[in-house]
């Protein structure tokens, strides 16, 4: 039986290509699919809370596990629940002008998925500031690639190991050290790139991303 490849079996370019193809095959996923993806993201965090807080303890040394539980585990859940609960409302087109409609013109703003969203996470809240943006991107109907901070190596290792249990690589993929440097990630032609970090690194990321506008 052929094993389904994970992010670790593929290059960043191969992951991106798989996600792009998957998005083109289903560019407007329905409410049920979007809610299911966020639910699986929530389960990834809750099912493995002990492993993830232990990984953060190893990364930070003196950081209490209770602190990580509150800031990265518990704090993520209300946001994910809020996203799941509002997807149907957020997907509805927005009416622009009732006055124009009254004279026969119809205008609306559609909230369509963009495609593949890249997320670059910081070192200080490695779960909260990657998981919550990932939930937003999945809720909006996108595919997601995450680049965790290289500083939190143990947390990244845990996420790389756990993510394939909940997501196919064409839905959500976590990049690890085998995928090179952060600059190898930020130069990819994402449809949207979400970054949290220092102004200095942000300038570099913005420069890389600008090449793909």
């Amino acid at each position: 039986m052929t094993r389904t490849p994970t992010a670790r079996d593929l290059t960043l370019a191969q992951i991106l290509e798989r996600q792009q193809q998957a998005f083109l095959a289903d560019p407007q996923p329905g409410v049920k699919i979007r809610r299911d993806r966020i639910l699986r993201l929530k389960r990834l965090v809750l099912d493995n809370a002990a492993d993830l807080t232990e990984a953060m303890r190893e990364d930070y040394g003196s950081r209490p596990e209770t602190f990580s539980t509150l800031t990265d585990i518990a704090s993520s859940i209300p946001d994910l629940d809020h996203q799941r609960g509002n997807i149907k409302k957020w997907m509805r087109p927005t009416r622009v002008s009732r006055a124009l409609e009254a004279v026969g013109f119809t205008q609306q703003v559609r909230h369509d998925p963009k495609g593949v969203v890249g997320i670059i996470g910081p070192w200080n809240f490695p779960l909260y500031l990657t998981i919550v943006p990932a939930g937003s991107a999945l809720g909006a109907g996108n595919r997601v690639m995450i680049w965790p901070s290289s500083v939190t190596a143990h947390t990244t290792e845990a996420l790389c190991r756990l993510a394939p249990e909940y997501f196919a690589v064409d839905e959500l993929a976590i990049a690890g050290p085998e995928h090179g440097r952060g600059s190898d990630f930020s130069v990819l032609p994402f449809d949207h790139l979400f970054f949290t970090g220092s102004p200095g690194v942000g300038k570099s990321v913005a420069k890389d991303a600008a090449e793909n506008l």
Side-chain angles (χ1 to χ4, degrees):
M1 183 176 180
T2 305
R3 183 176 70 88
T4 302
T6 68
R8 285 183 152 164
D9 302 314
L10 305 168
T11 66
L12 289 175
Q14 289 172 331
I15 297 170
L16 178 62
E17 182 180 8
R18 282 174 178 255
Q19 293 205 353
Q20 289 172 330
Q21 291 175 349
F23 176 75
L24 290 174
D26 185 18
Q28 294 282 357
V31 175
K32 185 176 180 180
I33 291 175
R34 300 185 193 200
R35 284 177 174 166
D36 174 67
R37 288 172 179 164
I38 297 177
L39 180 60
R40 281 184 274 145
L41 192 63
K42 176 181 175 180
R43 286 175 175 165
L44 188 160
V45 174
L46 290 180
D47 293 351
N48 304 284
D51 287 346
L52 292 168
T53 52
E54 171 61 19
M56 284 184 275
R57 187 194 64 76
E58 292 181 6
D59 283 326
Y60 298 116
S62 60
R63 182 170 168 175
E65 290 186 28
T66 302
F67 183 78
S68 293
T69 299
L70 290 173
T71 58
D72 280 88
I73 304 294
S75 297
S76 301
I77 304 310
D79 288 298
L80 296 176
D81 287 340
H82 179 71
Q83 293 161 1
R84 287 190 74 237
N86 285 276
I87 286 175
K88 188 173 183 179
K89 179 177 71 175
W90 292 339
M91 287 175 66
R92 295 190 193 118
T94 302
R95 296 169 67 181
V96 177
S97 173
R98 294 180 183 272
L100 288 174
E101 289 180 6
V103 294
F105 293 96
T106 301
Q107 290 181 309
Q108 65 179 19
V109 176
R110 288 178 44 157
H111 308 290
D112 291 343
K114 289 188 172 183
V116 180
V117 174
I119 296 173
I120 301 176
W123 65 269
N124 52 349
F125 299 104
L127 273 183
Y128 181 79
L129 290 176
T130 52
I131 293 298
V132 172
S136 295
L138 292 171
N142 301 290
R143 310 289 168 144
V144 177
M145 291 175 64
I146 297 176
W147 183 273
S149 171
S150 59
V151 176
T152 52
H154 293 91
T155 305
T156 298
E157 170 61 29
L159 288 171
C160 288
R161 172 172 49 85
L162 295 168
E165 298 178 13
Y166 297 83
F167 291 97
V169 72
D170 62 11
E171 291 179 304
L172 180 145
I174 312 287
E178 63 270 19
H179 291 111
R181 300 166 57 88
S183 57
D184 297 314
F185 188 85
S186 58
V187 298
L188 293 173
F190 294 112
D191 299 292
H192 188 80
L193 184 60
F194 183 95
F195 167 80
T196 304
S198 69
V201 177
K203 288 180 181 179
S204 176
V205 170
K207 183 178 179 180
D208 290 340
E211 296 298 321
N212 296 310
L213 290 177

